[in-house]
Structures are given as C-alpha cells and as structure tokens.
Amino acid sequence: MLGDFTYANPTRLHFGEHAMDALAEELNRFGKNVLLVYGGGSIKKNGIYAQVVKVLQDCGKNIVEDGGVMPNPTVEKLYEGCARAKAGQVDLILAVGGGSVCDYAKAVSVSTYCTEDPWEKYYLRMEDVDNPIIPVGCVLTMVGTGSEMNGGSVITNHQSKLKIGHVFGDQVFPKFSILNPVFTFTLPKYQMTAGFFDIMSHILEQYFSGTDDNTSDYIMEGLLRSLIHSTRIAVKDPTNYEARSNIMWTATWALNTLVAMGKTTDWEVHMIGQSVGAYTDATHGMTLSAVSLPYYRFILQDGLAKFKRYAIAVWDVNPEGKADQQIVEEGLQRMEDYMKEMGLVLHLRELGVTEDMLEGIADGTFIMEGGYRILTKEDVITILKESM
Ligand code: NZQ
Ligand code: ZN
C-alpha cells in the first residue's frame, strides 16, 4: 500500500557519451561567476578538468577554483569553500567529481550565506535553510551515492568524530547533472566496487522496511537484478560501456527519492557505516559492505517474510521443498558470494577499526526506527563485533 506523498525531482539530467554537449546551455542559465569544485586531482589526469574549463571559458565565465575536496569532505574544508564562494560572489557552484565533491558543493551552497555555524545549524540541529542558496550543477565522475539527483550532503567532523548527512529539500538538489559513463572508466577498482555496493546498500536500506505490498519494492527488485548483472560484467571488463552505463543509471534511481515514496525505510546500515567512517575515514561503500551481512543476519528473524522474498526475487533461490529459514539463509549466502566476487571489504579490521573503537563507534551511530528492529547500543556493538 502506498502512503500519501508528493513527488517531483527538480534535477535535469543529461546522460550518455555526449552528455557534455549540454553543459554550455546549462551554464548560460546562470551568472558569470562560477565556483569550480573538484577533488584531489583525478580530473586533471583523465582530461575531464580540461574539457570543463574549455566550456566555462567559451561561455565567458569567471572561474573561481576550489579544488582539493577530500573523500568524506570535512567541516574545515566547508568553511574554506564558503569563504571562496563569498569572496568570488559566485552565481553557480559547478561540482566535477564524485559524491564527496557533489555533497560538498551542496554544503557550500547552503552555508555561504548562513549567519550561524553551518555545522551546528544543518548537521547537529538539522534545521532547514532560511538564507540565500547558491545553485549547484554537477559533472559526475564516480558512481554510487546518487548525490547527482538528490539533496543529500554528508560532512565529516574529525574533531567530534561525527559523520553526518543532511538531506536537504528540492531547492538544494543540483539544478542539472551531466552523466557520461565513460568518465567513470578511470576509477580505480577499489573505488568502483565500493560504489557498486553503495548502490546496492541504498536500495536495500529502502527495501528492508515495511510489510505491505508496495510498487516501490518491485521497482527495487528490478534495479537490484540489473545492478548484479551489470556489476558482474564491469568488474571483469571495466570499460564495458553497456554495463557501466546501466550501473550509472541504476545508481541515480537507487537514491533520487523515487523508490522511497509511499513506504517506510531503514538506513541503519548507513548510520553504522557513517560512524565507522568518522573514526577511520574509510571509503564509504566499504564501510557499508563490512557491516551489512552481520546486520542483516542480526535482524533476519524480525523481517523473515521480506528476506524470503529477497532471496527468491533477487537471488533466484528456488523455494521448493525448503523451510523459510533455509531460503533466507541461502539468499544471504548468495549475497555474500557476490560480495566476495566483487572483492568487497567484509571485515572492519581491514578498514583500520580496532576493538577499542567499538564503543565510540556505537555511541556515534544514530538509531533509526523504520527497519525491522530498533537496535539498542548493545545490539550495535554485537553487530560491530561480528563485522570485525
Ligand atoms: O579526489 P579525486 O582525485 O577526484 O579522486 C576521487 C576520490 O579519491 C576518485 N575518483 C572520482 N572519480 C574518479 C576518481 N578517480 C579516477 N577517475 C575518476 N573518474 O574516487 C575517490 C572517491 O571519490 P568520492 O567522491 O569520495 O566517492 P563517492 O562518490 O563514493 O562519495 C563518497 C561521499 O558521499 C557520501 C559519503 O558519505 C561520502 O562522504 N554519501 C552521499 C550521499 C548522498 N549525497 O546522498 C549518500 C551516500 O550514502 C553517501 O553517504
Ligand atoms: Zn551510501
């Protein structure tokens, strides 16, 4: 049963090998001063930076550079970006990179003209934006987060050991995003597969909740099947356009708000993963892969019917003559086999987590109430121990 909702997605997407052709027209909708945001330099090596700068110059824009956005962008970097955006009186923030760069661009967008400390206002107090917002556009180079078509913006505060995401409203979604699957070909395997699992996790976080019959669950099963199919090809043949383009599109749909409409969602894996990230600065998708199976095995009995459906509809487990328990276990075993095939991280130790961190990681884990079980702090510690 679908609950009440209002649906609109304000981001205009340009997808495909020639998607960059749309950039000039998009840029012309905005003023002259553009904050060009990017990461640690991959776009300079693979030529994307040169392509973007050429379009900006041809459009007669003043470029204000803001490079060096780190994976898991920090609050210190956010303050720096706000100062640059303000000094440059920028009319548009153009993010060229992955989720970190896009998330950071959105954070700068809402924080530059914020009269209070944006970390406290948006990330600790979760308040809405009531000051002018600078529009954001994206050229995506890494697939996974869905940041290209959503209002999510995750910022890390190493001092307080907190990594927190604020999901902003429509006005903060990118105004446009350019998605060329070829731009993702240069990703190192570790980042590529971390992105694959991030996509899977986004879908599962929204799937494993509720007991009603809901169109969104059927859409998600389709997305998962496509994802599993294409990632199996891409992991062996990373420049396979067909596979990479399907994965890129799936990533966007996994977290552009559509599949969450009219249903409840969980997000506990992300809460644990984010707290692990705050302690280790590990790659986001790998924090999720390390904790997912122990988490799902922990809550299995509370959501047995859905885990059974998952095993059959997504992993093709044949239910004939089998008890429910056996079906769900086979489903999760197939998921584990797939994760091994992808070369994903399955143990927190590999991400630098040590036993003495577990208490703190559990303290930094927000408890969600939409999943099949509401965890206690002790439950989180049990899951973390299982994930070591
Ligand atoms: O910094 P550079 O040099 O560009 O290198 C990056 C970075 O090291 C590299 N990279 C990106 N595109 C590349 C490339 N290398 C070669 N070729 C390319 N084409 O990949 C590394 C990782 O990039 P990053 O942007 O950090 O990855 P991702 O897209 O996974 O973003 C992670 C961040 O997004 C947040 C995460 O928490 C994390 O902070 N999330 C955002 C969400 C949202 N907006 O809704 C939801 C997610 O659940 C997630 O929490
Ligand atoms: Zn994620």
Side-chain angles (χ1 to χ4, degrees), residues 207-218:
Y207 183 76
F208 285 124
S209 177
T211 51
D212 53 334
D213 184 47
N214 191 304
T215 306
S216 294
D217 287 332
Y218 296 88

Side-chain angles (χ1 to χ4, degrees), residues 330-346:
E330 270 184 44
L332 289 182
Q333 187 55 51
R334 286 189 191 194
M335 179 176 168
E336 184 171 342
D337 294 344
Y338 162 83
M339 291 171 77
K340 287 180 179 156
E341 192 182 321
M342 292 295 124
L344 293 162
V345 170
L346 293 175

Side-chain angles (χ1 to χ4, degrees), residues 107-384:
V108 173
S109 142
V110 296
S111 302
T112 300
Y113 297 111
C114 179
T115 50
E116 299 160 70
D117 178 357
W119 169 256
E120 287 182 15
K121 179 178 169 78
Y122 298 130
Y123 294 90
L124 293 181
R125 299 202 303 271
M126 287 291 165
E127 288 177 16
D128 292 334
V129 189
D130 52 10
N131 51 258
I133 294 170
I134 306 170
V136 170
C138 297
V139 176
L140 196 68
T141 69
M142 148 96 201
V143 167
T145 63
S147 191
E148 67 275 13
M149 205 182 192
N150 70 34
S153 171
V154 184
I155 295 293
T156 299
N157 187 326
H158 287 296
Q159 210 181 356
S160 54
K161 287 206 176 347
L162 288 173
K163 181 177 183 183
I164 302 178
H166 187 127
V167 181
F168 291 100
D170 283 12
Q171 74 278 29
V172 185
F173 280 45
K175 299 292 177 231
F176 65 88
S177 283
I178 307 279
L179 272 62
N180 180 348
V182 175
F183 285 0
T184 68
F185 284 1
T186 53
L187 274 168
K189 188 180 175 209
Y190 190 84
Q191 297 298 339
M192 177 182 78
T193 53
F196 293 169
F197 194 76
D198 195 21
I199 305 168
M200 179 169 277
S201 180
H202 293 160
I203 303 172
L204 296 182
E205 297 271 34
Q206 297 168 93
Y207 183 76
F208 285 124
S209 177
T211 51
D212 53 334
D213 184 47
N214 191 304
T215 306
S216 294
D217 287 332
Y218 296 88
I219 298 174
M220 286 190 271
E221 285 161 1
L223 289 173
L224 285 165
R225 292 185 70 90
S226 170
L227 179 72
I228 294 160
H229 175 77
S230 294
T231 51
R232 281 188 160 137
I233 296 168
V235 79
K236 294 201 190 89
D237 181 11
T239 57
N240 185 309
Y241 184 85
E242 190 173 46
R244 294 305 284 271
S245 63
N246 283 321
I247 295 165
M248 193 173 213
W249 193 218
T250 300
T252 302
W253 285 101
L255 196 51
N256 72 354
T257 74
L258 176 92
V259 298
M261 291 299 133
K263 81 179 294 280
T264 56
T265 56
D266 182 359
W267 294 106
E268 195 59 54
V269 167
H270 269 67
M271 295 305 108
I272 302 174
Q274 276 175 207
S275 192
V276 169
Y279 272 74
T280 58
D281 209 25
T283 297
H284 171 65
M286 296 307 188
T287 65
L288 308 174
S289 64
V291 302
S292 284
L293 286 166
Y295 173 68
Y296 289 131
R297 288 186 169 125
F298 190 81
I299 65 164
L300 198 66
Q301 301 308 333
D302 304 277
L304 203 63
K306 195 61 164 284
F307 280 96
K308 179 180 170 189
R309 175 174 163 169
Y310 173 63
I312 298 166
V314 177
W315 296 103
D316 291 329
V317 173
N318 179 358
E320 252 173 71
K322 290 175 193 159
D324 287 357
Q325 191 67 27
Q326 192 185 347
I327 297 166
V328 299
E329 278 168 16
E330 270 184 44
L332 289 182
Q333 187 55 51
R334 286 189 191 194
M335 179 176 168
E336 184 171 342
D337 294 344
Y338 162 83
M339 291 171 77
K340 287 180 179 156
E341 192 182 321
M342 292 295 124
L344 293 162
V345 170
L346 293 175
H347 302 284
L348 284 173
R349 245 179 249 290
E350 291 173 49
L351 302 176
V353 176
T354 49
E355 297 284 345
D356 59 307
M357 291 180 188
L358 300 186
E359 183 86 17
I361 293 174
D363 281 332
T365 299
F366 293 89
I367 301 298
M368 306 304 277
E369 300 193 343
Y372 290 123
R373 181 157 167 179
I374 300 174
L375 301 183
T376 62
K377 185 184 160 189
E378 287 65 40
D379 293 340
V380 176
I381 290 179
T382 304
I383 292 161
L384 289 169

Side-chain angles (χ1 to χ4, degrees), residues 24-71:
E25 196 189 327
E26 288 292 357
L27 292 175
N28 287 335
R29 296 178 208 272
F30 302 93
K32 261 185 134 28
N33 301 331
V34 178
L35 188 75
L36 176 58
V37 174
Y38 55 95
S42 70
I43 63 164
K44 290 197 172 165
K45 284 190 213 128
N46 58 23
I48 297 171
Y49 176 85
Q51 285 184 52
V52 171
V53 166
K54 172 144 195 340
V55 180
L56 284 164
Q57 286 169 344
D58 290 349
C59 292
K61 303 292 182 185
N62 300 322
I63 303 173
V64 180
E65 289 258 345
D66 187 12
V69 178
M70 61 295 284

